[in-house]
Amino acid sequence: MINKLILSASIAVSTLFVGCTTPNNNHVIKPNVSLTNTYFKALSLNGAKVEVFEKEAYIRFDTKDAITGYLGCNSFFGSFTTQDKNISFENVGSTKMMCPNMKTEDAFANVLQNTKTYEIKGETLNFFDEKGQKISTFEAVYF
């Protein structure tokens, strides 16, 4: 009788502990970050992974419709407008230093010229061209 009672209590306690554990799920759904006042590091441009040579390429959107960032060698600035998921960049300018590797620089400038729409999912920002093809991926970075 005592053995049955101990066995029953052990099963009940084991069930309680197993039932209260959280499954090991590494996929955490994060809320969408804001387009403005978020530092977005470039991960891919025109389908190619971004290589960092001096400093990482990034874009930051100001609440006053201004953009700033780093193309991979030169800083850039300009303005942007959005309506729903449409986005356009205007009056974009940059510093004009000559750098040993202009690959990221040229790809980023091309993305800014060809972006028509954007999408934010969690901490990821994607830009799309006029055909709806993804042309770049950025990730939010926190300091």
Side-chain angles (χ1 to χ4, degrees), residues 83-94:
Q83 183 176 12
D84 299 320
K85 294 297 178 184
N86 296 316
I87 189 166
S88 62
F89 301 102
E90 297 98 21
N91 304 316
V92 177
S94 71

Side-chain angles (χ1 to χ4, degrees), residues 51-56 70 72-74 97-101:
E51 297 178 56
V52 177
F53 295 100
E54 291 182 24
K55 181 177 161 185
E56 68 187 11
Y70 193 72
C73 174
N74 287 289
M97 295 188 308
M98 188 61 183
C99 302
N101 190 314

Side-chain angles (χ1 to χ4, degrees), residues 1-13:
M1 181 71 174
I2 277 221
N3 287 341
K4 285 184 181 181
L5 186 58
I6 291 173
L7 179 62
S8 296
S10 296
I11 291 172
V13 169

Side-chain angles (χ1 to χ4, degrees), residues 4 11 27-28 50 52 58 63 68 70 73 78-79 81-82 88 97 99-102 106-107 113:
K4 285 184 181 181
I11 291 172
H27 180 67
V28 177
V50 173
V52 177
Y58 74 90
T63 55
T68 56
Y70 193 72
C73 174
S79 60
T81 56
T82 60
S88 62
M97 295 188 308
C99 302
N101 190 314
M102 299 293 285
D106 294 339
Q113 289 175 356

Side-chain angles (χ1 to χ4, degrees), residues 7-8 21 25 39 41 43 51 77 82 89 96 109 121:
L7 179 62
S8 296
T21 60
N25 186 357
Y39 177 105
K41 173 176 85 171
L43 299 179
E51 297 178 56
F77 49 89
T82 60
F89 301 102
K96 300 290 184 192
K121 283 190 175 181

Side-chain angles (χ1 to χ4, degrees), residues 45-142:
L45 300 167
N46 296 317
K49 182 180 175 186
V50 173
E51 297 178 56
V52 177
F53 295 100
E54 291 182 24
K55 181 177 161 185
E56 68 187 11
Y58 74 90
I59 189 169
R60 187 170 181 277
F61 298 83
D62 192 321
T63 55
K64 294 183 174 34
D65 299 332
I67 56 168
T68 56
Y70 193 72
L71 297 167
C73 174
N74 287 289
S75 298
F76 74 94
F77 49 89
S79 60
F80 73 99
T81 56
T82 60
Q83 183 176 12
D84 299 320
K85 294 297 178 184
N86 296 316
I87 189 166
S88 62
F89 301 102
E90 297 98 21
N91 304 316
V92 177
S94 71
T95 56
K96 300 290 184 192
M97 295 188 308
M98 188 61 183
C99 302
N101 190 314
M102 299 293 285
K103 182 178 172 183
T104 301
E105 185 101 358
D106 294 339
F108 204 151
N110 182 272
V111 163
L112 292 175
Q113 289 175 356
N114 292 307
T115 297
K116 300 299 179 201
T117 59
Y118 75 99
E119 170 187 67
I120 295 176
K121 283 190 175 181
E123 297 178 332
T124 302
L125 167 66
N126 293 308
F127 288 156
F128 301 89
D129 64 14
E130 63 187 14
K131 295 178 182 176
Q133 299 293 314
K134 182 167 55 172
I135 57 173
S136 64
T137 301
F138 297 83
E139 179 180 61
V141 176
Y142 303 100

